[in-house]
Amino acid sequence: MSAYEKLYEGKAKIVYQTDDPDVLLVCFKDDATAFNAQKRGQIVGKGEMNCKISTRLFQLLQAAGMPTHFIDSPAAAQMRVWRVDIVPIEAIVRNIAAGSLCRQTGLPLGKVLPRPLVEFCYKNDALGDPLLTRDRLQMLELAAPEQIQTMENYCLQINEILGDFFNECGITLVDFKLEFGIVPPTAGPTSPFAAGTLLLADEISPDTCRLWQQSEDDPQKRVLDKDRFRQNLPDVEAAYQQVLDRVTGH
Ligand code: UDP
């Protein structure tokens, strides 16, 4: 996949070093996992589709002034990004009740929330990514209080930008997960960001968002995201392709 040294391999991506110590190469894989990797499989073409969808969404957010790790996409399933230290927090933004919010609160699937909900989970597979209270977040010192406040502000801004954009594509943004990173103290002269800057990182794709097709009322047919894989619904690849086609205007 790359001549460069592998830095890290995750469930859906491999990260390589490059000639520039400030720049990493992310290769998106077709591998899919769910339920904390208890369910494993492949979604053919997912690597390319998720990279292209993420690229489009990062470009949209950058154009709106959001600081992100995205540099460019030199090949179909590859993305160059600025090196960051990932904050071990998964920020979840919800507009409509689904998934763990329904399981944990009893809210019915599809209930429109009175206002967007931002939640923080501990990014820790061994613990099952538990939901954290604000006090636990402070106690664990996973990020400085100002950084957590900035993350929350960015989450709400990103939700507005992406929600409007998906709406124009005929898709409802139900919920999504974001990860952030901090520019390391070693950042060199090629980096446009000062050390300590908080950047949006990771990916934004049907693996990390719940996306419902607005022209479909059927609760199974409308699903255009990884819930198709989680729930063993057919046509997973076609759903991802549909999202790609719509966000790239095809
Ligand atoms: N999500 C994610 N990675 C995770 C957990 C959640 O990308 O490790 C996304 C998920 O795809 C959904 C949103 O975050 O769009 C909210 O997920 P939820 O907490 O409802 O968890 P789930 O139902 O997947 O257990």
Side-chain angles (χ1 to χ4, degrees):
M1 269 248 223
S2 166
Y4 295 117
E5 192 185 331
K6 192 195 281 190
L7 199 64
Y8 163 83
E9 176 155 8
K11 286 172 274 189
K13 296 187 283 296
I14 306 175
V15 181
Y16 296 93
Q17 281 177 324
T18 69
D19 295 333
D20 183 338
D22 292 334
V23 175
L24 302 178
L25 184 73
V26 180
C27 294
F28 287 66
K29 302 196 286 186
D30 287 358
D31 296 349
T33 62
F35 312 119
N36 206 3
Q38 288 176 59
K39 177 178 163 74
R40 290 171 184 273
Q42 284 235 322
I43 300 173
V44 177
K46 178 170 82 76
E48 279 195 24
M49 292 189 283
N50 277 0
C51 184
K52 288 176 182 162
I53 293 165
S54 277
T55 294
R56 177 73 190 98
L57 299 178
F58 277 130
Q59 286 170 337
L60 181 80
L61 292 168
Q62 282 184 336
M66 181 61 52
T68 87
H69 75 157
F70 175 82
I71 301 172
D72 59 14
S73 175
Q78 297 184 1
M79 188 181 281
R80 293 195 318 142
V81 302
W82 297 111
R83 180 195 286 267
V84 291
D85 295 326
I86 292 288
V87 178
I89 292 174
E90 297 194 341
I92 310 255
V93 189
R94 301 178 187 274
N95 298 299
I96 292 177
S100 67
L101 182 66
C102 295
R103 292 196 300 274
Q104 293 171 3
T105 65
L107 280 176
L109 175 70
K111 164 101 179 135
V112 177
L113 306 183
R115 67 188 73 80
L117 186 64
V118 179
E119 299 182 313
F120 294 113
C121 295
Y122 192 2
K123 184 174 153 67
N124 184 320
D125 283 339
L127 297 176
D129 297 343
L131 178 65
L132 295 175
T133 61
R134 300 297 160 126
D135 284 347
R136 284 186 184 185
L137 206 52
Q138 269 202 6
M139 187 262 296
L140 290 171
E141 296 183 344
L142 301 177
E146 320 81 72
Q147 286 169 336
I148 291 169
Q149 186 57 57
T150 306
M151 282 170 57
E152 180 159 10
N153 296 345
Y154 284 173
C155 281
L156 292 169
Q157 285 172 36
I158 291 166
N159 186 45
E160 291 243 331
I161 297 163
L162 295 186
D164 288 349
F165 176 70
F166 275 116
N167 210 19
E168 287 164 19
C169 300
I171 292 173
T172 297
L173 179 60
V174 174
D175 61 29
F176 57 100
K177 184 261 301 180
L178 298 175
E179 292 185 27
F180 294 88
I182 295 170
V183 177
T186 51
T190 61
S191 171
F193 299 107
T197 308
L198 189 76
L199 303 183
L200 176 65
D202 195 45
E203 66 175 291
I204 311 174
S205 73
D207 271 10
T208 63
C209 302
R210 284 197 171 90
L211 303 167
W212 291 353
Q213 190 171 352
Q214 290 171 353
S215 59
E216 226 1 295
D217 286 331
D218 183 295
Q220 293 196 342
K221 286 191 192 149
R222 71 185 172 191
V223 173
L224 296 178
D225 56 71
K226 200 163 93 172
D227 272 349
R228 297 202 80 79
F229 173 77
R230 292 188 187 100
Q231 297 168 20
N232 297 314
L233 298 174
D235 305 322
V236 185
E237 286 85 1
Y240 280 59
Q241 184 67 49
Q242 171 95 239
V243 175
L244 174 60
D245 289 347
R246 286 176 181 232
V247 303
T248 54
H250 291 137

